[in-house]
Amino acid sequence: HYLFNELEYKNNLDRRKIDTLVKGLKQLYSTISLGESIPVSVSHGDFTPWNMYCDDQRLYVYDWEMARNGIPMLFDLFHFSYQSVVLQQQKSYKEVKVNINIWLIQPIVMHMIQKYRINVQLHHALNLLFNVSFYLRQYLNEKEPLMQSEWMMDAWILAIEDCLTTVKVNSK
């Protein structure tokens, strides 16, 4: 409700997509159970290939201004997957989902999920709620919308639909 009321259309982004995203966010929000435990950690907040450098020995991560404590675990994994697959590789949500699933079967990630009893679907939904609402506001304020904004909106629409379908299947 909050997001929909404060939207200002300052450019020519596709309003149908924006309305679809807002409606999807509302539906996704309504599926969140307030009683469920949500393991949290420190998050970089903008963990992307262009905010890191790797040499033979180490990974260097920079651009920490969006870092926060108390963020649902796996936030950076989801953000990295969306940003790298959609913006860098210019592929769709289908490939984002494949990328996320590849990460989720890595032993260190599987161990973390089991150790902290992470509900992956819930954490993905929380990531979408945060990122879509955050970036959608930015996209609407762009003087001239970027084509990459459209790519992300397309991916988010499919991701939210997928999350809602998963919630419906799991609740039956």
Side-chain angles (χ1 to χ4, degrees), residues 18-118:
I18 295 165
D19 292 344
T20 299
L21 282 168
V22 172
K23 181 181 176 189
L25 288 173
K26 288 178 181 179
Q27 290 174 321
L28 195 57
Y29 180 76
S30 73
T31 68
I32 304 296
S33 170
L34 299 178
E36 187 161 352
S37 175
I38 300 171
V40 297
S41 66
V42 174
S43 170
H44 178 275
D46 196 17
F47 191 66
T48 59
W50 45 91
N51 284 336
M52 63 181 68
Y53 167 76
C54 193
D55 66 17
D56 294 337
Q57 304 272 326
R58 296 183 182 113
L59 172 67
Y60 300 90
V61 180
Y62 46 90
D63 197 9
W64 286 86
E65 76 266 2
M66 292 183 70
R68 300 285 182 272
N69 196 6
I71 302 298
M73 291 179 139
L74 304 177
F75 184 95
D76 286 333
L77 182 148
F78 294 124
H79 187 70
F80 183 89
S81 293
Y82 279 90
Q83 297 286 307
S84 61
V85 172
V86 175
L87 297 181
Q88 195 174 44
Q89 299 171 25
Q90 299 177 18
K91 295 189 176 174
S92 70
Y93 171 67
K94 178 181 171 186
E95 287 82 8
V96 171
K97 188 174 179 177
V98 168
N99 185 271
I100 290 170
N101 287 332
I102 289 169
W103 280 112
L104 293 176
I105 61 171
Q106 299 307 307
I108 194 165
V109 177
M110 289 177 65
H111 175 73
M112 186 174 74
I113 291 167
Q114 291 169 352
K115 180 177 181 178
Y116 296 103
R117 297 182 182 150
I118 298 170

Side-chain angles (χ1 to χ4, degrees), residues 17 86-88 90-91 146-156:
K17 288 182 185 179
V86 175
L87 297 181
Q88 195 174 44
Q90 299 177 18
K91 295 189 176 174
L146 302 173
M147 133 178 58
Q148 292 88 337
S149 302
E150 294 281 350
W151 299 344
M152 287 304 298
M153 290 182 0
D154 291 339
W156 291 332

